[in-house]
Amino acid sequence: MELEPEGLLAGTDEHDQYVRYKASSESGGTPGEEEDEESPGEELPPIDLEEEDTASHTCDEDTIVVRPLPVQTPPSTSETTTTYKPRKLLHTRSMKELFHPAAGQAYMAVTEEPVSLKEALGGEDGREWKAAWESEVESLQKNETWVVAKTPPGRNIVGCRWLFVKKGDGRFKVRLVAKGVSQKPGIDFTETFARVAKFTTLRVLLALVAENDWELHTMDVKTAFLNGVLEEEIYMDRPEGLEEEIPAGMVCRLVKAIYGLRKSPRTWYQKIHEFFLAHGFIRSTQDYSLYVNYGRRVLVLVYVDDLVLAAAEVEQIE
Amino acid sequence: MSDLGELTTYLGLQISRKRSQRLLTLHQAKYIEKILNRHGMQDARPSLTPLDPNTHLVSNTSVNTTEPGSTVVDLELYQSAVGSLMYAMLGTRPDIAYAVGLVSQFNHSPQSEHWTAVKRIFRYLAGTRELKIQYGSTNESGAYSDADWGAGQDRKSIGGFVFLLNGGAISWASKKQTSIALSTTEAEYMAMTQASKEIIWLQVLLEELGALTHLEQMSKLYGDNQGALSLARNPEYHAWTKHIDIQYHFVCELVLLKKIYLEYCPSIDMLADIMTNALPRTTHDKHAAAMGMQGGQRKGHGTLHEGAC
């Protein structure tokens, strides 16, 4: 089937993993066409790199997009003109903006963040991006995220890319993410389940905190996933910009669970579970994301790398 | 790890406290703003209730939705709108639970009247963005369950429950029952079972959290149907309960084990009513307030006719 970029971010080569493809309009009009489409051409959700804000996005149905989609890379040329054919549907105001006829290239303006290292460093915020990128590289090296290895024959090499996000408060964040969707179940990873907090537990906790006038704090873990040690053998491509450190023909054998891998959240949970057990916490049998320390009277609720701490005395919050 | 100080937002819920009065409020104004903008409803005319009590939504099975142009409502748009509402409901908005449950029944083939209902929920949210659940204003705790018998198009009943702790709602659900009830008693009985499963979970959680004082309050389950209450208290052999599946006798057992105490609550005070019915404005507001929901100055309050919404 002939594929054609639908419009999102089309026209640049670096971020083709975000471009959604749909059956070209010549073959359109077949029954069930709508259901076949991956997702509506909504604007990219803010790609959230950081801990504090995971809230509004992580639980959102639209964050799935944060992970790169499986790529069937078409010969992408910068001349690709995106033909937009409006579907017959109910238009709301926001949709009108989204599907504005001139939007083919204009999507670039919607997502201000650069999509590649080259673009970031060459752009107007080049200096800020460079600083943020260097800090991420340093963090990766400090955590000994990978060891350089020879390309193993017959192994799946996971791709990777840099994510660039401008935070609401003006900070610049860069993070290396693996293209986890290319990992194959049973070969590259096995169990991926990672539990999430129940809203009910949170509300029960808050109701009790209010009643007993407990302290309520939030904590985040910087680059949380890099704390998790991988059990599987996973090889990753050389990241852009680090070609000098990793010679050609070599790849990175991952030691730590970097963002984007299918198993990273689970690895992180195992890590934090051990941490809490070592510090005298007991995991709730009713909600596995809740930890209680009876001696110190501290409760902790875990949602990925977002922690809520409730304690009777403020000193107990370390 | 770094301490980021007082907790103010978590998973999109905004939290604020008045510690001198031991009050804690929970709301989602930011998220609601975001979904209103996303669906172009930010300037919508506010509505006072999430559902019109006088319209009955049915699914139109005669329309073949696989044919292009057969439906006026975009499927993805409809489903994503319902999904946005669902997240708001799960967080802090028990007052829209029934409405969201209803519109999500038409996710497979929405028609224009269903889309109108979805927009009305958005309009209701637009007027009540700041509505908050407040804990601590009363020390009301307890579990309420209710059912609306044979309400659906397929004659299945809607069951629902609301649990209060420290004056605010902590857990709620509105669910279409899986089998058809032959009487209001049966429908209520099944709803009580649904609620008691949650109660048991909650009781253990409270125990683990050391909130032993609340355990007793949390073992009281209020129902508004005397038939269902007597049936659960005294499981005599009644020919007409023979077909109620074993699982629904679960609640009987819990009563026998004294894990749950059943109490009668007159229908007028049954706040789980909001989980099973499209209520008129006064009742809706009353039950919402009983769940600890307050604030949320309704925009354009004076300019709206009550009949117009």
Side-chain angles (χ1 to χ4, degrees), chain B residues 77-120:
Chain B
L77 182 66
Y78 186 88
Q79 291 171 350
S80 93
V82 172
S84 308
L85 293 171
M86 189 76 83
Y87 188 73
M89 183 275 277
L90 290 172
T92 60
R93 299 307 293 259
D95 53 329
I96 60 168
Y98 175 69
V100 174
L102 190 70
V103 293
S104 61
Q105 290 174 27
F106 310 106
N107 258 344
H108 57 102
S109 63
Q111 300 297 310
S112 60
E113 67 260 33
H114 307 133
W115 181 241
T116 310
V118 168
K119 285 196 290 188
R120 187 178 162 118

Side-chain angles (χ1 to χ4, degrees), chain A residues 214 281 291-294 296-300 309-311 316-317:
Chain A
W214 277 28
F281 282 84
Y291 290 85
V292 188
N293 188 323
Y294 291 101
R296 289 175 163 171
R297 301 170 75 198
V298 180
L299 307 169
V300 184
L309 278 94
Q316 295 296 349
I317 298 180

Side-chain angles (χ1 to χ4, degrees), chain B residues 12-176:
Chain B
L13 311 190
Q14 292 160 259
I15 297 152
S16 56
R17 298 178 76 180
K18 267 189 213 145
R19 294 192 60 170
S20 54
Q21 295 165 41
R22 302 207 166 189
L23 292 177
L24 188 147
T25 55
L26 201 58
H27 67 102
Q28 278 170 301
K30 258 192 207 157
Y31 176 74
I32 290 169
E33 195 71 50
K34 192 176 119 192
I35 61 172
L36 285 170
N37 286 332
R38 189 193 297 162
H39 294 95
M41 298 287 289
Q42 64 275 23
D43 301 322
R45 191 171 63 95
S47 145
L48 294 173
T49 55
L51 263 183
D52 183 348
N54 300 316
T55 47
H56 294 280
L57 294 177
V58 289
S59 88
N60 194 347
T61 44
S62 63
V63 179
N64 181 4
T65 45
T66 51
E67 259 173 51
S70 66
T71 165
V72 277
V73 184
D74 181 62
L75 205 64
E76 276 163 12
L77 182 66
Y78 186 88
Q79 291 171 350
S80 93
V82 172
S84 308
L85 293 171
M86 189 76 83
Y87 188 73
M89 183 275 277
L90 290 172
T92 60
R93 299 307 293 259
D95 53 329
I96 60 168
Y98 175 69
V100 174
L102 190 70
V103 293
S104 61
Q105 290 174 27
F106 310 106
N107 258 344
H108 57 102
S109 63
Q111 300 297 310
S112 60
E113 67 260 33
H114 307 133
W115 181 241
T116 310
V118 168
K119 285 196 290 188
R120 187 178 162 118
I121 306 175
F122 276 114
R123 284 171 47 212
Y124 171 72
L125 289 182
T128 56
R129 298 166 210 225
E130 306 270 316
L131 201 59
K132 301 165 169 130
I133 298 186
Q134 188 168 74
Y135 300 101
S137 40
T138 64
N139 56 2
E140 203 73 30
S141 298
Y144 296 80
S145 91
D146 193 18
D148 189 21
W149 175 52
Q153 191 185 4
D154 52 7
R155 292 294 165 203
K156 283 178 184 162
S157 316
I158 307 283
F161 62 78
V162 180
F163 295 175
L164 302 183
L165 186 70
N166 197 20
I170 46 160
S171 183
W172 53 81
S174 169
K175 192 177 187 295
K176 189 154 92 170

Side-chain angles (χ1 to χ4, degrees), chain A residues 29-32 34-35 37-42 51-62 87-95 197-222 268 272 275-276 283-287 290 292 294 299 301-304 306-308 317-318, chain B residues 1-13 15 17 19-24 26 28 31 34-35 37-44 65-68 71-77 80 83-84 87 89-92 108 115 119 133 135-136 139 165-166 168-172 198 200-202 204-211 213-214:
Chain A
T30 46
E34 289 200 347
E35 286 85 351
E37 240 176 83
E38 283 244 6
S39 77
E42 274 217 57
E51 288 74 28
E52 306 104 86
D53 261 41
T54 18
S56 45
H57 307 300
T58 347
C59 270
D60 244 336
E61 57 292 339
D62 55 13
R87 279 182 292 158
K88 280 229 159 145
L89 43 80
L90 202 88
H91 280 266
T92 62
R93 247 166 292 170
S94 61
M95 288 183 72
K198 292 185 176 79
F199 272 136
T200 308
T201 317
L202 175 68
R203 287 187 296 252
V204 170
L205 193 73
L206 293 179
L208 295 175
V209 160
E211 190 188 26
N212 300 303
D213 199 28
W214 277 28
E215 299 293 327
L216 192 62
H217 275 232
T218 175
M219 268 190 153
D220 84 327
V221 185
K222 206 173 171 245
W268 160 241
I272 199 159
F275 173 83
F276 281 127
R283 185 169 72 183
S284 162
T285 55
Q286 301 298 291
D287 186 336
L290 178 70
V292 188
Y294 291 101
L299 307 169
L301 200 59
V302 184
Y303 180 84
V304 192
D306 238 341
L307 310 184
V308 171
I317 298 180
E318 301 150 283
Chain B
M1 265 194 225
S2 54
D3 192 341
L4 298 174
E6 287 280 309
L7 180 69
T8 52
T9 51
Y10 192 64
L11 307 181
L13 311 190
I15 297 152
R17 298 178 76 180
R19 294 192 60 170
S20 54
Q21 295 165 41
R22 302 207 166 189
L23 292 177
L24 188 147
L26 201 58
Q28 278 170 301
Y31 176 74
K34 192 176 119 192
I35 61 172
N37 286 332
R38 189 193 297 162
H39 294 95
M41 298 287 289
Q42 64 275 23
D43 301 322
T65 45
T66 51
E67 259 173 51
T71 165
V72 277
V73 184
D74 181 62
L75 205 64
E76 276 163 12
L77 182 66
S80 93
S84 308
Y87 188 73
M89 183 275 277
L90 290 172
T92 60
H108 57 102
W115 181 241
K119 285 196 290 188
I133 298 186
Y135 300 101
N139 56 2
L165 186 70
N166 197 20
I170 46 160
S171 183
W172 53 81
E198 181 81 358
I200 295 303
W201 179 80
L202 214 53
V204 183
L205 183 72
L206 286 170
E207 215 177 318
E208 283 183 342
L209 289 172
T213 44
H214 290 295

